[in-house]
Amino acid sequence: MKNNIAERRAGRQWTQADLAAALGVSRQTVISIEREKFDPSLPLAFLIARTFDCAIEDIFTAD
Amino acid sequence: MSKASFTSRRAPVHHYVLAVILGAILTIAVSLLVGVSNPGDFWLAAGIGALCAAYPAMSLGARVFVSRHTVTRDPHGEQSVELQWMRQAGAGAFLDVLVATIVVAAVLAVGRIGVDALPVLLGLVGLSALDAGLRYLAIRHRALK
């Protein structure tokens, strides 16, 4: 899945560590998701969407 | 399953000292136990026991006295990518060990070679642990490069 997490994170001037702390996951998880090498679970995708105050489909799109 | 992250924080110095002391006590205890159980080669057995026990004993010391200051638990650690890496590494290592076991068993059966079970079983344990560890590092390296 493609995603725009890096852009949204940069827009808020968050580091990957900041986002990882907000999500309660490791920094490697954020790195892997941003590089589209790891598709997050549905609960984590909802958590990401809630963190950025938007819907899941605003962040994730199918390849 | 939860996951923890290392932080840049440091524990108070005396906690490191306590960790080393606990590790040393456990190492000496294990080496004495191994040495006493092999009275013919006390020092050799005790030395091997100490070598085997030192790392896990020091790790236990660090876990008890240090890690609570330097490691934080991720609230949603079960969602972290590391869990997927561990699963992939474990699955790959299982198949590797299965294939290795089949090949070795076939060679032993065809060659009518008899071997002691204990070193073979210990070898399998070592192989599976090494395989899973190396696979984890390789998966992690590929994902983060």
Side-chain angles (χ1 to χ4, degrees):
Chain A
M1 275 195 303
K2 293 189 176 304
N3 69 75
N4 54 24
I5 291 175
E7 292 82 4
R8 287 177 180 272
R9 177 178 60 75
R12 296 189 177 204
Q13 296 185 325
W14 285 356
T15 64
Q16 290 171 327
D18 293 335
L19 180 56
L23 297 173
V25 298
S26 65
R27 194 169 64 86
Q28 280 81 5
T29 302
V30 172
I31 295 170
S32 298
I33 294 172
E34 286 188 356
R35 292 182 183 177
E36 296 167 0
K37 293 188 172 182
F38 173 58
D39 290 335
S41 65
L42 201 50
L44 183 56
F46 272 108
L47 192 57
I48 293 169
R50 201 158 57 234
T51 302
F52 287 114
D53 298 316
C54 61
I56 286 180
E57 57 266 33
D58 294 334
I59 297 177
F60 297 99
T61 52
D63 282 333
Chain B
M1 182 175 178
S2 190
K3 164 115 186 14
S5 292
F6 288 96
T7 69
S8 57
R9 292 198 302 268
R10 292 283 175 266
V13 174
H14 69 277
H15 284 239
Y16 291 98
V17 175
L18 287 172
V20 172
I21 291 173
L22 176 62
I25 289 172
L26 290 175
T27 302
I28 291 169
V30 170
S31 65
L32 285 177
L33 198 64
V34 174
V36 168
S37 65
N38 295 274
D41 287 313
F42 177 86
W43 290 109
L44 178 64
I48 292 172
L51 283 176
C52 293
Y55 185 78
M58 292 295 172
S59 298
L60 181 62
R63 173 71 185 85
V64 171
F65 292 109
V66 177
S67 64
R68 62 187 152 148
H69 296 281
T70 59
V71 179
T72 57
R73 187 174 295 280
D74 295 330
H76 298 103
E78 71 281 358
Q79 311 286 345
S80 289
V81 70
E82 287 88 344
L83 185 59
Q84 177 177 306
W85 296 342
M86 278 190 271
R87 284 180 177 151
Q88 288 175 345
F94 170 75
L95 288 177
D96 288 345
V97 171
L98 188 64
V99 169
T101 305
I102 290 170
V103 169
V104 170
V107 169
L108 293 178
V110 171
R112 296 187 183 283
I113 304 166
V115 293
D116 288 338
L118 185 59
V120 173
L121 290 174
L122 289 175
L124 276 178
V125 171
L127 172 68
S128 56
L130 182 68
D131 194 342
L134 290 176
R135 278 181 171 275
Y136 181 89
L137 290 176
I139 292 168
R140 183 179 186 278
H141 176 73
R142 260 203 316 269
L144 296 180
K145 77 178 177 183

